[in-house]
Amino acid sequence: MSVETGIPSDLLAAHPETAYFWGRVVGDGDLTADCVRVRTNDETAARRLAAIAGAEQVDRRIHEREYAHDTALTRTEEEFTVQVFGDLAERASAAFGLPRDGDPGGYRLGALDHDRQLLRGLLEGCGTVCFKQSAGTVGLSFVADDRRLLETIDGLLATAPVDAPTDDVSETSSGGYWFGVDDQRVPEVGTWLYDGSEDTGLFAPSRRRKLRQSVEQARELDAAAGDER
């Protein structure tokens, strides 16, 4: 649990821990009549999410996922699920406009207040990071079935204290939607998103490591190109 921020007294209160938690839920989770469920392929992140929510158990499964941009390709990975039972789903749906039982969401995520932690959770829940070898840049995008969610994330990025220009929301081959952050701005955006995360523990180590390694690859390639010039 975070040393800097402590344990939130209420999962609906504006707090760094709750902002990260609900970002993860919105990014890769769901709400039913009596359960909040959130998934992650990072065991450390799963245990942190469980600690925030007071969940007693983390379920582990092997899961096969389709790539969002090419459904002909799949990848096999561990998936950890954290579940919180009770009336939290109903309360969160009312407080933050989260979709529940298939109903559309209004996504009033601004009520969570801590945008950096919220966006970090959203990135780790429904974001992708990749190093583009041909261009020597880092790609950072968000993918979701709900266009309104992506528009909400885009709005959060527009008000961030770093310059984060984005593409228009477009359809994926699988029927969902996606948009990307301008490649040239990804290093600065990524640095801002994970600034201070070591102190709070509110991050997935595997995702932060991939982002940092991709940024370092891009910088090394740019430096090598500069030497050749």
Side-chain angles (χ1 to χ4, degrees):
M1 182 55 59
S2 165
V3 174
E4 295 290 322
T5 60
I7 300 173
S9 59
D10 184 347
L11 278 175
L12 302 185
H15 192 284
E17 304 266 353
T18 56
Y20 176 73
F21 176 81
W22 291 113
R24 294 293 315 230
V25 171
V26 172
D28 192 6
D30 54 77
L31 281 66
T32 59
D34 60 355
C35 180
V36 173
R37 184 180 296 108
V38 56
R39 294 171 288 269
T40 176
N41 60 5
D42 188 296
E43 185 174 8
T44 299
R47 299 200 177 282
R48 286 168 179 158
L49 292 167
I52 292 169
E56 296 181 356
Q57 184 175 346
V58 175
D59 295 325
R60 172 186 175 275
R61 295 183 182 182
I62 302 298
H63 186 74
E64 189 173 81
R65 288 181 181 269
E66 295 178 340
Y67 281 91
H69 298 291
D70 187 348
T71 57
L73 301 175
T74 61
R75 65 184 187 276
T76 301
E77 60 186 23
E78 287 185 308
E79 181 177 272
F80 301 91
T81 303
V82 176
Q83 299 182 91
V84 184
F85 295 96
D87 67 350
L88 179 62
E90 181 178 1
R91 294 168 57 221
S93 180
F96 306 132
L98 305 186
R100 185 166 63 100
D101 284 329
D103 292 336
Y107 300 108
R108 298 184 297 276
L109 303 182
L112 288 162
D113 194 34
H114 299 273
D115 287 355
R116 191 203 311 260
Q117 291 80 4
L118 173 62
L119 278 165
R120 191 186 305 150
L122 288 164
L123 171 64
E124 293 178 357
C126 64
T128 63
V129 174
C130 66
F131 172 64
K132 300 180 179 181
Q133 180 71 41
S134 59
T137 59
V138 182
L140 189 159
S141 59
F142 292 86
V143 183
D145 292 333
D146 189 338
R147 186 185 186 105
R148 187 166 185 176
L149 169 57
L150 291 184
E151 291 170 347
T152 300
I153 297 172
D154 194 23
L156 289 168
L157 287 168
T159 59
V162 291
D163 186 20
T166 59
D167 303 323
D168 293 335
V169 176
S170 304
E171 290 191 28
T172 68
S173 60
S174 58
Y177 301 91
W178 77 284
F179 75 87
V181 176
D182 182 271
D183 289 358
Q184 300 303 319
R185 306 306 306 168
V186 170
E188 184 180 355
V189 173
T191 299
W192 173 75
L193 278 172
Y194 282 93
D195 184 38
S197 59
E198 193 68 44
D199 295 331
T200 65
L202 301 177
F203 68 100
S206 59
R207 177 55 63 88
R208 188 180 72 169
R209 182 167 56 252
K210 182 177 182 180
L211 177 59
R212 288 181 170 178
Q213 288 175 344
S214 297
V215 170
E216 185 59 30
Q217 282 180 281
R219 287 172 175 164
E220 289 176 355
L221 197 61
D222 185 59
D227 291 340
E228 291 178 1
R229 292 193 294 267

